[in-house]
Amino acid sequence: MAMFEYGIGGNVEKIDASEAIADIPHNRTLLVEKLTADDPVSPETAGKLETIEDVFAHFKPNIDVAFEDGEGQDVVENFRFKNVADFLIANMTKNSPFLKDLDNQKAFYNRMIKQLRSNKIMQRALQNPDARTAFVESLQALLSELESYDVKKVEE
């Protein structure tokens, strides 16, 4: 903001009257957002909403989001927002089974990468082409065994 406020014209004039529209203080945030997925049929005046919690309680914002899983299938989830904190990635992940599953997979892969980088025996084995081939074959055999695993046999 300028140090001095000047009026229109060639001479410096002190502004005595306040303007009809006051500036928003710098320590405030103005939030303007479309809180519903559908456009309103007619504009609505929502009076007496004094806090952000009142706004969320009145409009009940939610949205359907379509994700694509690893097999290319669409997974549609509805996100409901009750406060500003619900827009945080951690809270959206906590409220979504699909995102929670992806987060668990990411954590698992990160642990595996960390384990592989810190395991000296594994690193030496992966540098040897014959040992790497044997390791890949054993992983593929383990995968095929897990895929043929029958839950009913174990439950009996």
Side-chain angles (χ1 to χ4, degrees), residues 80-97:
R80 297 184 186 283
F81 304 99
K82 296 178 181 150
N83 55 42
V84 176
D86 286 343
F87 289 96
L88 295 173
I89 293 173
N91 290 340
M92 291 179 80
T93 302
K94 183 176 75 174
N95 296 328
S96 164

Side-chain angles (χ1 to χ4, degrees), residues 50-99:
E50 296 180 4
T51 65
I52 194 80
E53 289 80 16
D54 293 343
V55 173
F56 278 92
H58 177 76
F59 288 104
K60 298 175 180 61
N62 69 79
I63 190 163
D64 290 327
V65 178
F67 298 105
E68 185 176 317
D69 65 6
E71 294 146 8
Q73 300 295 322
D74 285 341
V75 177
V76 178
E77 290 190 343
N78 183 273
F79 288 89
R80 297 184 186 283
F81 304 99
K82 296 178 181 150
N83 55 42
V84 176
D86 286 343
F87 289 96
L88 295 173
I89 293 173
N91 290 340
M92 291 179 80
T93 302
K94 183 176 75 174
N95 296 328
S96 164
F98 180 78
L99 292 179

Side-chain angles (χ1 to χ4, degrees), residues 63-153:
I63 190 163
D64 290 327
V65 178
F67 298 105
E68 185 176 317
D69 65 6
E71 294 146 8
Q73 300 295 322
D74 285 341
V75 177
V76 178
E77 290 190 343
N78 183 273
F79 288 89
R80 297 184 186 283
F81 304 99
K82 296 178 181 150
N83 55 42
V84 176
D86 286 343
F87 289 96
L88 295 173
I89 293 173
N91 290 340
M92 291 179 80
T93 302
K94 183 176 75 174
N95 296 328
S96 164
F98 180 78
L99 292 179
K100 196 181 304 182
D101 184 46
L102 283 180
D103 192 50
N104 289 339
Q105 288 179 13
K106 177 185 168 192
F108 173 76
Y109 291 139
N110 285 336
R111 284 193 306 270
M112 288 295 293
I113 289 170
K114 184 177 178 183
Q115 181 67 26
L116 289 174
R117 286 184 179 162
S118 64
N119 191 333
K120 301 296 181 191
I121 296 170
M122 180 69 74
Q123 287 178 357
R124 278 185 269 151
L126 292 177
Q127 289 175 357
N128 181 345
D130 294 334
R132 183 183 317 142
T133 303
F135 182 68
V136 169
E137 288 173 357
S138 65
L139 286 176
Q140 288 174 339
L142 179 62
L143 178 64
S144 65
E145 183 178 331
L146 288 173
E147 287 174 345
S148 65
Y149 175 71
D150 190 4
V151 178
K152 291 181 182 177
K153 288 181 183 178

